[in-house]
mmCIF file of all heavy atoms in Angstrom:
data_model
loop_
_atom_site.group_PDB
_atom_site.id
_atom_site.type_symbol
_atom_site.label_atom_id
_atom_site.label_comp_id
_atom_site.label_asym_id
_atom_site.label_seq_id
_atom_site.Cartn_x
_atom_site.Cartn_y
_atom_site.Cartn_z
ATOM 1 N N ALA Y 669 11.756 -16.840 -12.854
ATOM 2 C CA ALA Y 669 11.073 -16.035 -11.883
ATOM 3 C C ALA Y 669 9.644 -15.656 -12.362
ATOM 4 O O ALA Y 669 8.874 -15.069 -11.581
ATOM 5 C CB ALA Y 669 11.893 -14.788 -11.645
ATOM 6 N N GLY Y 670 9.427 -15.859 -13.679
ATOM 7 C CA GLY Y 670 8.112 -15.560 -14.099
ATOM 8 C C GLY Y 670 7.911 -14.072 -14.512
ATOM 9 O O GLY Y 670 6.848 -13.535 -14.374
ATOM 10 N N VAL Y 671 9.045 -13.390 -14.844
ATOM 11 C CA VAL Y 671 8.997 -11.939 -15.153
ATOM 12 C C VAL Y 671 9.707 -11.794 -16.495
ATOM 13 O O VAL Y 671 10.392 -12.729 -17.008
ATOM 14 C CB VAL Y 671 9.706 -11.115 -14.082
ATOM 15 C CG1 VAL Y 671 8.956 -11.232 -12.733
ATOM 16 C CG2 VAL Y 671 11.137 -11.411 -14.004
ATOM 17 N N SER Y 672 9.572 -10.626 -17.038
ATOM 18 C CA SER Y 672 10.250 -10.408 -18.380
ATOM 19 C C SER Y 672 11.670 -10.059 -18.072
ATOM 20 O O SER Y 672 12.089 -9.524 -17.068
ATOM 21 C CB SER Y 672 9.633 -9.275 -19.132
ATOM 22 O OG SER Y 672 9.828 -8.035 -18.447
ATOM 23 N N PRO Y 673 12.603 -10.191 -19.134
ATOM 24 C CA PRO Y 673 13.945 -9.787 -19.023
ATOM 25 C C PRO Y 673 14.058 -8.253 -18.816
ATOM 26 O O PRO Y 673 14.978 -7.744 -18.076
ATOM 27 C CB PRO Y 673 14.621 -10.193 -20.393
ATOM 28 C CG PRO Y 673 13.822 -11.362 -20.834
ATOM 29 C CD PRO Y 673 12.356 -11.064 -20.338
ATOM 30 N N ALA Y 674 13.119 -7.537 -19.349
ATOM 31 C CA ALA Y 674 13.118 -6.124 -19.108
ATOM 32 C C ALA Y 674 12.941 -5.784 -17.638
ATOM 33 O O ALA Y 674 13.554 -4.801 -17.130
ATOM 34 C CB ALA Y 674 11.957 -5.424 -19.846
ATOM 35 N N SER Y 675 12.142 -6.532 -16.921
ATOM 36 C CA SER Y 675 11.992 -6.387 -15.488
ATOM 37 C C SER Y 675 13.305 -6.571 -14.690
ATOM 38 O O SER Y 675 13.560 -5.933 -13.722
ATOM 39 C CB SER Y 675 10.954 -7.364 -14.913
ATOM 40 O OG SER Y 675 9.781 -7.080 -15.336
ATOM 41 N N VAL Y 676 14.170 -7.522 -15.172
ATOM 42 C CA VAL Y 676 15.395 -7.718 -14.602
ATOM 43 C C VAL Y 676 16.311 -6.544 -14.894
ATOM 44 O O VAL Y 676 16.963 -5.993 -13.936
ATOM 45 C CB VAL Y 676 16.088 -9.006 -15.205
ATOM 46 C CG1 VAL Y 676 17.464 -9.207 -14.652
ATOM 47 C CG2 VAL Y 676 15.225 -10.292 -14.986
ATOM 48 N N TYR Y 677 16.351 -6.089 -16.030
ATOM 49 C CA TYR Y 677 17.226 -4.862 -16.318
ATOM 50 C C TYR Y 677 16.700 -3.554 -15.694
ATOM 51 O O TYR Y 677 17.530 -2.711 -15.508
ATOM 52 C CB TYR Y 677 17.342 -4.704 -17.828
ATOM 53 C CG TYR Y 677 18.334 -5.779 -18.392
ATOM 54 C CD1 TYR Y 677 17.829 -6.773 -19.288
ATOM 55 C CD2 TYR Y 677 19.679 -5.862 -17.995
ATOM 56 C CE1 TYR Y 677 18.679 -7.712 -19.821
ATOM 57 C CE2 TYR Y 677 20.544 -6.784 -18.438
ATOM 58 C CZ TYR Y 677 20.090 -7.754 -19.341
ATOM 59 O OH TYR Y 677 20.908 -8.716 -19.864
ATOM 60 N N ARG Y 678 15.427 -3.505 -15.316
ATOM 61 C CA ARG Y 678 14.968 -2.317 -14.557
ATOM 62 C C ARG Y 678 15.465 -2.432 -13.140
ATOM 63 O O ARG Y 678 15.682 -1.318 -12.545
ATOM 64 C CB ARG Y 678 13.432 -2.331 -14.567
ATOM 65 C CG ARG Y 678 12.721 -1.668 -15.749
ATOM 66 C CD ARG Y 678 11.384 -1.301 -15.525
ATOM 67 N NE ARG Y 678 10.498 -2.542 -15.393
ATOM 68 C CZ ARG Y 678 9.918 -3.154 -16.494
ATOM 69 N NH1 ARG Y 678 10.243 -2.746 -17.765
ATOM 70 N NH2 ARG Y 678 9.262 -4.223 -16.310
ATOM 71 N N ARG Y 679 15.762 -3.593 -12.688
ATOM 72 C CA ARG Y 679 16.196 -3.811 -11.271
ATOM 73 C C ARG Y 679 17.740 -3.830 -11.242
ATOM 74 O O ARG Y 679 18.295 -3.380 -10.291
ATOM 75 C CB ARG Y 679 15.569 -5.157 -10.885
ATOM 76 C CG ARG Y 679 15.921 -5.519 -9.550
ATOM 77 C CD ARG Y 679 14.599 -5.751 -8.735
ATOM 78 N NE ARG Y 679 15.077 -5.600 -7.377
ATOM 79 C CZ ARG Y 679 15.240 -4.463 -6.704
ATOM 80 N NH1 ARG Y 679 14.888 -3.302 -7.165
ATOM 81 N NH2 ARG Y 679 15.691 -4.504 -5.492
ATOM 82 N N TYR Y 680 18.375 -4.474 -12.130
ATOM 83 C CA TYR Y 680 19.870 -4.747 -12.156
ATOM 84 C C TYR Y 680 20.449 -4.221 -13.460
ATOM 85 O O TYR Y 680 19.961 -4.479 -14.527
ATOM 86 C CB TYR Y 680 20.197 -6.188 -12.056
ATOM 87 C CG TYR Y 680 19.591 -6.764 -10.717
ATOM 88 C CD1 TYR Y 680 18.374 -7.456 -10.779
ATOM 89 C CD2 TYR Y 680 20.206 -6.694 -9.539
ATOM 90 C CE1 TYR Y 680 17.846 -7.942 -9.637
ATOM 91 C CE2 TYR Y 680 19.673 -7.138 -8.344
ATOM 92 C CZ TYR Y 680 18.445 -7.752 -8.439
ATOM 93 O OH TYR Y 680 17.890 -8.288 -7.235
ATOM 94 N N ASP Y 681 21.522 -3.544 -13.348
ATOM 95 C CA ASP Y 681 22.178 -2.956 -14.500
ATOM 96 C C ASP Y 681 22.816 -4.021 -15.402
ATOM 97 O O ASP Y 681 22.920 -3.847 -16.687
ATOM 98 C CB ASP Y 681 23.080 -1.853 -14.220
ATOM 99 C CG ASP Y 681 24.251 -2.237 -13.271
ATOM 100 O OD1 ASP Y 681 24.260 -3.433 -12.842
ATOM 101 O OD2 ASP Y 681 25.246 -1.393 -13.138
ATOM 102 N N LYS Y 682 23.210 -5.102 -14.781
ATOM 103 C CA LYS Y 682 23.775 -6.227 -15.495
ATOM 104 C C LYS Y 682 23.622 -7.507 -14.585
ATOM 105 O O LYS Y 682 23.361 -7.358 -13.438
ATOM 106 C CB LYS Y 682 25.249 -6.026 -15.955
ATOM 107 C CG LYS Y 682 26.079 -5.708 -14.764
ATOM 108 C CD LYS Y 682 27.482 -5.260 -15.237
ATOM 109 C CE LYS Y 682 28.369 -4.891 -14.025
ATOM 110 N NZ LYS Y 682 29.699 -4.520 -14.433
ATOM 111 N N LYS Y 683 23.991 -8.603 -15.135
ATOM 112 C CA LYS Y 683 23.846 -9.864 -14.417
ATOM 113 C C LYS Y 683 24.741 -9.855 -13.190
ATOM 114 O O LYS Y 683 24.353 -10.365 -12.089
ATOM 115 C CB LYS Y 683 24.205 -11.080 -15.299
ATOM 116 C CG LYS Y 683 23.952 -12.399 -14.561
ATOM 117 C CD LYS Y 683 24.160 -13.595 -15.476
ATOM 118 C CE LYS Y 683 25.600 -14.008 -15.361
ATOM 119 N NZ LYS Y 683 25.880 -15.341 -16.073
ATOM 120 N N ASP Y 684 25.913 -9.273 -13.258
ATOM 121 C CA ASP Y 684 26.786 -9.288 -12.074
ATOM 122 C C ASP Y 684 26.232 -8.492 -10.931
ATOM 123 O O ASP Y 684 26.596 -8.654 -9.807
ATOM 124 C CB ASP Y 684 28.145 -8.676 -12.400
ATOM 125 C CG ASP Y 684 28.993 -9.611 -13.346
ATOM 126 O OD1 ASP Y 684 28.627 -10.810 -13.416
ATOM 127 O OD2 ASP Y 684 29.956 -9.192 -13.886
ATOM 128 N N GLY Y 685 25.186 -7.660 -11.136
ATOM 129 C CA GLY Y 685 24.533 -6.961 -10.080
ATOM 130 C C GLY Y 685 23.756 -7.875 -9.105
ATOM 131 O O GLY Y 685 23.447 -7.485 -8.040
ATOM 132 N N PHE Y 686 23.540 -9.101 -9.512
ATOM 133 C CA PHE Y 686 22.907 -10.100 -8.756
ATOM 134 C C PHE Y 686 23.837 -10.567 -7.645
ATOM 135 O O PHE Y 686 23.255 -11.043 -6.598
ATOM 136 C CB PHE Y 686 22.513 -11.314 -9.608
ATOM 137 C CG PHE Y 686 21.126 -11.220 -10.301
ATOM 138 C CD1 PHE Y 686 21.104 -10.904 -11.663
ATOM 139 C CD2 PHE Y 686 19.978 -11.465 -9.592
ATOM 140 C CE1 PHE Y 686 19.895 -10.841 -12.258
ATOM 141 C CE2 PHE Y 686 18.740 -11.411 -10.219
ATOM 142 C CZ PHE Y 686 18.696 -11.059 -11.613
ATOM 143 N N ILE Y 687 25.081 -10.538 -7.845
ATOM 144 C CA ILE Y 687 25.981 -11.113 -6.807
ATOM 145 C C ILE Y 687 25.947 -10.427 -5.480
ATOM 146 O O ILE Y 687 25.607 -11.130 -4.476
ATOM 147 C CB ILE Y 687 27.437 -11.126 -7.387
ATOM 148 C CG1 ILE Y 687 27.529 -12.068 -8.555
ATOM 149 C CG2 ILE Y 687 28.394 -11.550 -6.244
ATOM 150 C CD1 ILE Y 687 28.868 -11.988 -9.421
ATOM 151 N N PRO Y 688 26.045 -9.123 -5.408
ATOM 152 C CA PRO Y 688 25.904 -8.564 -3.992
ATOM 153 C C PRO Y 688 24.509 -8.594 -3.529
ATOM 154 O O PRO Y 688 24.245 -8.769 -2.336
ATOM 155 C CB PRO Y 688 26.368 -7.126 -4.220
ATOM 156 C CG PRO Y 688 26.478 -6.858 -5.655
ATOM 157 C CD PRO Y 688 26.574 -8.163 -6.279
ATOM 158 N N ALA Y 689 23.571 -8.524 -4.467
ATOM 159 C CA ALA Y 689 22.114 -8.635 -4.086
ATOM 160 C C ALA Y 689 21.804 -10.067 -3.495
ATOM 161 O O ALA Y 689 21.055 -10.106 -2.568
ATOM 162 C CB ALA Y 689 21.227 -8.309 -5.293
ATOM 163 N N LEU Y 690 22.452 -11.099 -4.070
ATOM 164 C CA LEU Y 690 22.220 -12.420 -3.524
ATOM 165 C C LEU Y 690 22.844 -12.557 -2.186
ATOM 166 O O LEU Y 690 22.195 -13.133 -1.276
ATOM 167 C CB LEU Y 690 22.846 -13.455 -4.439
ATOM 168 C CG LEU Y 690 22.531 -14.896 -4.289
ATOM 169 C CD1 LEU Y 690 21.034 -15.151 -4.266
ATOM 170 C CD2 LEU Y 690 23.230 -15.767 -5.278
ATOM 171 N N PHE Y 691 23.982 -12.016 -1.909
ATOM 172 C CA PHE Y 691 24.537 -12.004 -0.581
ATOM 173 C C PHE Y 691 23.687 -11.248 0.410
ATOM 174 O O PHE Y 691 23.481 -11.722 1.615
ATOM 175 C CB PHE Y 691 25.921 -11.389 -0.597
ATOM 176 C CG PHE Y 691 27.064 -12.328 -1.013
ATOM 177 C CD1 PHE Y 691 27.625 -12.041 -2.286
ATOM 178 C CD2 PHE Y 691 27.390 -13.346 -0.278
ATOM 179 C CE1 PHE Y 691 28.634 -12.968 -2.783
ATOM 180 C CE2 PHE Y 691 28.429 -14.226 -0.650
ATOM 181 C CZ PHE Y 691 29.013 -14.013 -1.998
ATOM 182 N N GLU Y 692 23.086 -10.107 0.004
ATOM 183 C CA GLU Y 692 22.172 -9.398 0.912
ATOM 184 C C GLU Y 692 20.951 -10.248 1.267
ATOM 185 O O GLU Y 692 20.506 -10.309 2.314
ATOM 186 C CB GLU Y 692 21.735 -8.128 0.336
ATOM 187 C CG GLU Y 692 22.839 -7.036 0.254
ATOM 188 C CD GLU Y 692 22.348 -5.749 -0.309
ATOM 189 O OE1 GLU Y 692 21.157 -5.463 -0.467
ATOM 190 O OE2 GLU Y 692 23.221 -4.955 -0.677
ATOM 191 N N PHE Y 693 20.431 -10.947 0.232
ATOM 192 C CA PHE Y 693 19.260 -11.830 0.289
ATOM 193 C C PHE Y 693 19.568 -12.922 1.353
ATOM 194 O O PHE Y 693 18.741 -13.214 2.245
ATOM 195 C CB PHE Y 693 18.911 -12.408 -1.057
ATOM 196 C CG PHE Y 693 17.679 -13.226 -1.063
ATOM 197 C CD1 PHE Y 693 16.403 -12.620 -0.959
ATOM 198 C CD2 PHE Y 693 17.735 -14.616 -1.368
ATOM 199 C CE1 PHE Y 693 15.278 -13.409 -1.036
ATOM 200 C CE2 PHE Y 693 16.587 -15.354 -1.407
ATOM 201 C CZ PHE Y 693 15.370 -14.802 -1.233
ATOM 202 N N TYR Y 694 20.739 -13.607 1.180
ATOM 203 C CA TYR Y 694 21.076 -14.593 2.194
ATOM 204 C C TYR Y 694 21.330 -14.046 3.576
ATOM 205 O O TYR Y 694 20.933 -14.648 4.571
ATOM 206 C CB TYR Y 694 22.375 -15.379 1.691
ATOM 207 C CG TYR Y 694 22.093 -16.320 0.617
ATOM 208 C CD1 TYR Y 694 22.976 -16.450 -0.463
ATOM 209 C CD2 TYR Y 694 20.965 -17.152 0.519
ATOM 210 C CE1 TYR Y 694 22.759 -17.255 -1.535
ATOM 211 C CE2 TYR Y 694 20.730 -17.993 -0.448
ATOM 212 C CZ TYR Y 694 21.686 -18.095 -1.456
ATOM 213 O OH TYR Y 694 21.476 -19.004 -2.552
ATOM 214 N N HIS Y 695 21.883 -12.861 3.630
ATOM 215 C CA HIS Y 695 22.154 -12.167 4.932
ATOM 216 C C HIS Y 695 20.792 -11.954 5.638
ATOM 217 O O HIS Y 695 20.594 -12.182 6.791
ATOM 218 C CB HIS Y 695 22.881 -10.948 4.685
ATOM 219 C CG HIS Y 695 23.260 -10.216 6.021
ATOM 220 N ND1 HIS Y 695 22.712 -9.065 6.493
ATOM 221 C CD2 HIS Y 695 24.168 -10.646 7.017
ATOM 222 C CE1 HIS Y 695 23.208 -8.684 7.619
ATOM 223 N NE2 HIS Y 695 23.991 -9.691 8.023
ATOM 224 N N GLU Y 696 19.841 -11.383 4.903
ATOM 225 C CA GLU Y 696 18.471 -11.148 5.443
ATOM 226 C C GLU Y 696 17.842 -12.479 5.890
ATOM 227 O O GLU Y 696 17.221 -12.564 7.040
ATOM 228 C CB GLU Y 696 17.532 -10.540 4.397
ATOM 229 C CG GLU Y 696 17.836 -9.108 4.130
ATOM 230 C CD GLU Y 696 17.034 -8.578 3.017
ATOM 231 O OE1 GLU Y 696 15.983 -9.181 2.613
ATOM 232 O OE2 GLU Y 696 17.369 -7.477 2.451
ATOM 233 N N ARG Y 697 17.979 -13.581 5.182
ATOM 234 C CA ARG Y 697 17.492 -14.870 5.630
ATOM 235 C C ARG Y 697 18.199 -15.331 6.890
ATOM 236 O O ARG Y 697 17.477 -15.880 7.773
ATOM 237 C CB ARG Y 697 17.734 -15.896 4.529
ATOM 238 C CG ARG Y 697 16.759 -16.012 3.445
ATOM 239 C CD ARG Y 697 17.054 -17.222 2.647
ATOM 240 N NE ARG Y 697 16.074 -17.482 1.573
ATOM 241 C CZ ARG Y 697 16.242 -18.376 0.735
ATOM 242 N NH1 ARG Y 697 17.361 -19.145 0.701
ATOM 243 N NH2 ARG Y 697 15.372 -18.583 -0.184
ATOM 244 N N LEU Y 698 19.456 -15.166 6.963
ATOM 245 C CA LEU Y 698 20.211 -15.612 8.099
ATOM 246 C C LEU Y 698 19.684 -14.797 9.338
ATOM 247 O O LEU Y 698 19.562 -15.398 10.490
ATOM 248 C CB LEU Y 698 21.742 -15.379 7.973
ATOM 249 C CG LEU Y 698 22.617 -15.830 8.996
ATOM 250 C CD1 LEU Y 698 22.432 -17.326 9.324
ATOM 251 C CD2 LEU Y 698 24.089 -15.550 8.681
ATOM 252 N N LEU Y 699 19.548 -13.517 9.226
ATOM 253 C CA LEU Y 699 19.039 -12.651 10.344
ATOM 254 C C LEU Y 699 17.661 -13.064 10.778
ATOM 255 O O LEU Y 699 17.412 -13.216 11.999
ATOM 256 C CB LEU Y 699 19.127 -11.234 9.942
ATOM 257 C CG LEU Y 699 20.459 -10.566 9.767
ATOM 258 C CD1 LEU Y 699 20.255 -9.159 9.334
ATOM 259 C CD2 LEU Y 699 21.225 -10.650 11.045
ATOM 260 N N ASP Y 700 16.782 -13.350 9.796
ATOM 261 C CA ASP Y 700 15.472 -13.863 10.141
ATOM 262 C C ASP Y 700 15.543 -15.238 10.911
ATOM 263 O O ASP Y 700 14.901 -15.358 11.885
ATOM 264 C CB ASP Y 700 14.622 -13.967 8.857
ATOM 265 C CG ASP Y 700 14.209 -12.642 8.222
ATOM 266 O OD1 ASP Y 700 14.367 -11.593 8.932
ATOM 267 O OD2 ASP Y 700 13.781 -12.711 7.104
ATOM 268 N N TRP Y 701 16.383 -16.080 10.327
ATOM 269 C CA TRP Y 701 16.409 -17.354 11.002
ATOM 270 C C TRP Y 701 17.058 -17.258 12.460
ATOM 271 O O TRP Y 701 16.514 -17.902 13.327
ATOM 272 C CB TRP Y 701 17.339 -18.299 10.224
ATOM 273 C CG TRP Y 701 17.451 -19.654 10.837
ATOM 274 C CD1 TRP Y 701 16.593 -20.684 10.781
ATOM 275 C CD2 TRP Y 701 18.563 -20.075 11.687
ATOM 276 N NE1 TRP Y 701 17.080 -21.744 11.564
ATOM 277 C CE2 TRP Y 701 18.253 -21.390 12.205
ATOM 278 C CE3 TRP Y 701 19.684 -19.475 12.207
ATOM 279 C CZ2 TRP Y 701 19.048 -22.079 13.023
ATOM 280 C CZ3 TRP Y 701 20.543 -20.205 13.001
ATOM 281 C CH2 TRP Y 701 20.236 -21.475 13.416
ATOM 282 N N SER Y 702 18.053 -16.429 12.553
ATOM 283 C CA SER Y 702 18.711 -16.282 13.828
ATOM 284 C C SER Y 702 17.754 -15.766 15.004
ATOM 285 O O SER Y 702 18.039 -15.977 16.149
ATOM 286 C CB SER Y 702 19.968 -15.499 13.801
ATOM 287 O OG SER Y 702 19.693 -14.142 13.523
ATOM 288 N N ALA Y 703 16.698 -15.047 14.475
ATOM 289 C CA ALA Y 703 15.759 -14.525 15.425
ATOM 290 C C ALA Y 703 14.561 -15.560 15.662
ATOM 291 O O ALA Y 703 13.720 -15.201 16.585
ATOM 292 C CB ALA Y 703 15.190 -13.202 14.976
ATOM 293 N N SER Y 704 14.634 -16.582 14.976
ATOM 294 C CA SER Y 704 13.481 -17.511 15.056
ATOM 295 C C SER Y 704 13.649 -18.447 16.274
ATOM 296 O O SER Y 704 14.640 -18.667 16.832
ATOM 297 C CB SER Y 704 13.414 -18.391 13.768
ATOM 298 O OG SER Y 704 14.525 -19.329 13.742
ATOM 299 N N PRO Y 705 12.481 -19.093 16.665
ATOM 300 C CA PRO Y 705 12.505 -20.002 17.737
ATOM 301 C C PRO Y 705 13.447 -21.213 17.460
ATOM 302 O O PRO Y 705 14.089 -21.811 18.303
ATOM 303 C CB PRO Y 705 11.104 -20.464 17.919
ATOM 304 C CG PRO Y 705 10.277 -19.348 17.307
ATOM 305 C CD PRO Y 705 11.098 -18.830 16.219
ATOM 306 N N ALA Y 706 13.481 -21.662 16.144
ATOM 307 C CA ALA Y 706 14.376 -22.758 15.824
ATOM 308 C C ALA Y 706 15.900 -22.456 16.043
ATOM 309 O O ALA Y 706 16.557 -23.264 16.557
ATOM 310 C CB ALA Y 706 14.214 -23.096 14.325
ATOM 311 N N ALA Y 707 16.232 -21.263 15.875
ATOM 312 C CA ALA Y 707 17.586 -20.868 16.116
ATOM 313 C C ALA Y 707 17.881 -20.768 17.589
ATOM 314 O O ALA Y 707 18.930 -21.161 18.026
ATOM 315 C CB ALA Y 707 17.848 -19.521 15.485
ATOM 316 N N GLN Y 708 16.833 -20.323 18.386
ATOM 317 C CA GLN Y 708 16.940 -20.233 19.791
ATOM 318 C C GLN Y 708 17.149 -21.612 20.398
ATOM 319 O O GLN Y 708 17.974 -21.863 21.354
ATOM 320 C CB GLN Y 708 15.855 -19.501 20.421
ATOM 321 C CG GLN Y 708 15.684 -17.994 19.853
ATOM 322 C CD GLN Y 708 16.843 -17.256 19.989
ATOM 323 O OE1 GLN Y 708 17.647 -17.214 20.942
ATOM 324 N NE2 GLN Y 708 17.244 -16.527 18.877
#
């Protein structure tokens, strides 16, 4: 990602914190796509 490991730990308490965050990230992408002309 081009950031320091300290930046990761400021954001996530441990690596497993990425799991729900990744699902949210994909959910946001899906919502954005579903509103796009391509989805329509």
Side-chain angles (χ1 to χ4, degrees):
V671 301
S672 71
S675 293
V676 176
Y677 286 115
R678 276 193 293 273
R679 179 120 202 87
Y680 301 97
D681 60 353
K682 56 185 178 178
K683 186 176 90 169
D684 287 346
F686 276 99
I687 296 170
L690 192 59
F691 279 108
E692 285 180 21
F693 185 70
Y694 285 139
H695 184 250
E696 287 175 15
R697 273 190 179 173
L698 182 60
L699 291 176
D700 288 346
W701 178 83
S702 67
S704 73
Q708 302 307 316

